[in-house]
């Protein structure tokens, strides 16, 4: 006996859309990937040959987006850079999320998928490996490289913001140098 597709759709669609959006950063592309993944998975889900529809659909969405990414040209990094030092305190959370989202989107699709599964979806290494169909060692390796890359990207953003605002690495404003006599 197959899955009740209405209940699967109702229980998984919002989470799948958020998952897809975090992987690709574009709402329309995320919606298309989710719709395609559900449509392609429908026969198998109806047959009941899928043990965990949520994980199966997340894998299908990730595959669609990774395939799409492979077919596209490399996206220019740093499309939107907003300086944290110029943001109003009320907007700081939005700015920080934007900077983090830009940094995540600068990662390779494989690294981004591991980051989203582990930190957004709160999956264990084993669960991430299962969803992405990777060995656990590959998940750990990608996670390590992704975190290192994020550290570099975010540190560069902070250094750039500090240099442009006249602040030092600790965010402290530096005085203008005194002219020599």
């Amino acid at each position: 006996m197959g899955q009740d597709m209405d209940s699967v759709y109702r229980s998984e669609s919002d989470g799948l859309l958020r998952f897809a959006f975090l992987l690709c950063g574009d709402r329309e592309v995320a919606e298309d990937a989710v719709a395609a993944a559900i449509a392609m998975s429908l026969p198998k889900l109806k047959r009941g040959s899928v043990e965990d529809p949520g994980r199966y659909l997340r894998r299908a969405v990730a595959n669609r987006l990774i395939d799409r990414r492979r077919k596209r040209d490399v996206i220019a990094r740093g499309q939107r850079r907003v300086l944290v030092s110029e943001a109003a305190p009320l907007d700081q959370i939005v700015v920080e999320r934007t900077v983090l989202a830009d940094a995540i989107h600068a990662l390779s699709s494989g690294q981004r998928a591991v980051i989203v599964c582990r930190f957004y979806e709160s999956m264990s290494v084993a669960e991430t490996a299962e969803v992405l169909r990777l060995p656990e060692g590959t998940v750990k390796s990608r996670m390590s490289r992704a975190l290192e890359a994020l550290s570099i990207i975010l540190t560069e953003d902070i250094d750039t913001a500090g240099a442009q605002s006249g602040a030092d690495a600790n965010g402290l404003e530096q005085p203008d140098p005194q002219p020599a006599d």
Side-chain angles (χ1 to χ4, degrees), residues 40-89:
M40 291 176 64
S41 303
L42 199 56
K44 198 166 187 177
L45 292 169
K46 281 185 175 181
R47 281 195 306 269
S49 56
V50 175
E51 191 173 313
D52 185 345
R55 289 191 191 268
Y56 184 83
L57 289 169
R58 278 176 178 70
R59 177 69 240 160
V61 167
N63 283 343
R64 296 284 302 175
L65 292 171
I66 289 169
D67 289 346
R68 179 183 179 277
R69 173 89 178 188
R70 287 179 183 149
K71 292 175 186 173
R72 291 184 340 171
D73 292 333
V74 175
I75 296 174
R77 292 183 184 190
Q79 296 171 350
R80 294 176 292 142
R81 300 283 184 197
V82 179
L83 298 176
V84 174
S85 62
E86 294 178 4

Side-chain angles (χ1 to χ4, degrees), residues 37-146:
I38 290 173
M40 291 176 64
S41 303
L42 199 56
K44 198 166 187 177
L45 292 169
K46 281 185 175 181
R47 281 195 306 269
S49 56
V50 175
E51 191 173 313
D52 185 345
R55 289 191 191 268
Y56 184 83
L57 289 169
R58 278 176 178 70
R59 177 69 240 160
V61 167
N63 283 343
R64 296 284 302 175
L65 292 171
I66 289 169
D67 289 346
R68 179 183 179 277
R69 173 89 178 188
R70 287 179 183 149
K71 292 175 186 173
R72 291 184 340 171
D73 292 333
V74 175
I75 296 174
R77 292 183 184 190
Q79 296 171 350
R80 294 176 292 142
R81 300 283 184 197
V82 179
L83 298 176
V84 174
S85 62
E86 294 178 4
L90 189 57
D91 295 333
Q92 189 166 352
I93 292 173
V94 173
V95 170
E96 289 171 357
R97 286 183 181 179
T98 301
V99 169
L100 183 58
D102 286 347
I104 290 171
H105 288 104
L107 298 173
S108 72
S109 56
Q111 290 175 341
R112 190 171 46 254
V114 169
I115 290 286
V116 170
C117 287
R118 289 283 287 129
F119 293 106
Y120 180 75
E121 293 288 327
S122 300
M123 293 181 188
S124 68
V125 170
E127 291 168 331
T128 301
E130 180 184 332
V131 166
L132 298 179
R133 291 188 186 158
L134 297 170
E136 287 185 26
T138 301
V139 170
K140 291 175 185 178
S141 173
R142 285 187 184 174
M143 177 64 58
S144 175
R145 289 186 180 115

Side-chain angles (χ1 to χ4, degrees), residues 176-181:
D176 291 329
Q178 297 296 325
D181 289 327

